[in-house]
Amino acid sequence: LDSNENVSCWGRNGNGQIGNGQTGTAACGTSGHKCKDIPTATNDLGSDVISLSFGHQHACGLLDTGAVKCWGRNNAGQLGTSGGDKDTPQTINLGSGRTATSIYAGGHYSCAILDDTSVKCWGHNGQGQLGIGSNVNTNTPTTINTLGSGRTAVSLATAMSTVCALLDDGSVKCWGDDEHGVSQREKKEREKETSFLSVSLTLSLSKSALNAHTHTMHKKRFNKSEVSREILILYINLAAKKREFCFSE
């Protein structure tokens, strides 16, 4: 995202994740490939882009109008539309009169906090990461279950199949895949479809989220007032695998 609020991306492009109107299944470096090894302009999104978010093979942009557009892989509805992959930005229908204030993308799903403080998610839901009370995929942005009486989300952090929310009272709730204890429950309770799990502000992450060959635990303690969007993104997104990159000046 450059100083003129334009987007450039580079890397693999087998699912249209660069958003430049091209896609190709040929391996990078072979004849007919569509990979880009230099920053390449994404097609015009129609207005200034103020933030970007990236999933496994898709990307979303938040415009200065509050509109959201996504592009790339669409195997589970993560672009908020039907059909296959899209190599150009697609407008997300957030609901009548609704706009987004922030956007987030995980493995094969996307979420947004809206202007009315509600949270909507869409895409892959095999581990309950959409937080909508089921594990069924949907390409329709759907309001998540309640975060608690009177509670609203200030920010989200999205990993491959897990979401955590920082709430307005400083507490944290998580839902989705619990394979590495990210949601701090027993492995037998990995897939949380309907309930959100309150997380102690003593945060811990297993390095198994980063490396399947080690189980050494790293712990860091925070005062409640120190929990912030940056902390959540750092700790939760360590588990997310990113395959495409965009730059910020």
Side-chain angles (χ1 to χ4, degrees), residues 5 45-51 61-68 99-100:
E5 288 75 45
L45 277 77
S47 191
D48 288 345
V49 180
I50 60 175
S51 69
L62 174 62
L63 309 188
D64 59 359
T65 60
V68 176
T99 58

Side-chain angles (χ1 to χ4, degrees), residues 178-191:
D178 191 30
E179 182 176 1
H180 300 293
V182 176
S183 297
Q184 297 188 352
R185 294 288 187 183
E186 296 291 337
K187 286 188 176 182
K188 65 183 179 181
E189 298 181 284
R190 288 177 184 176
E191 297 178 5

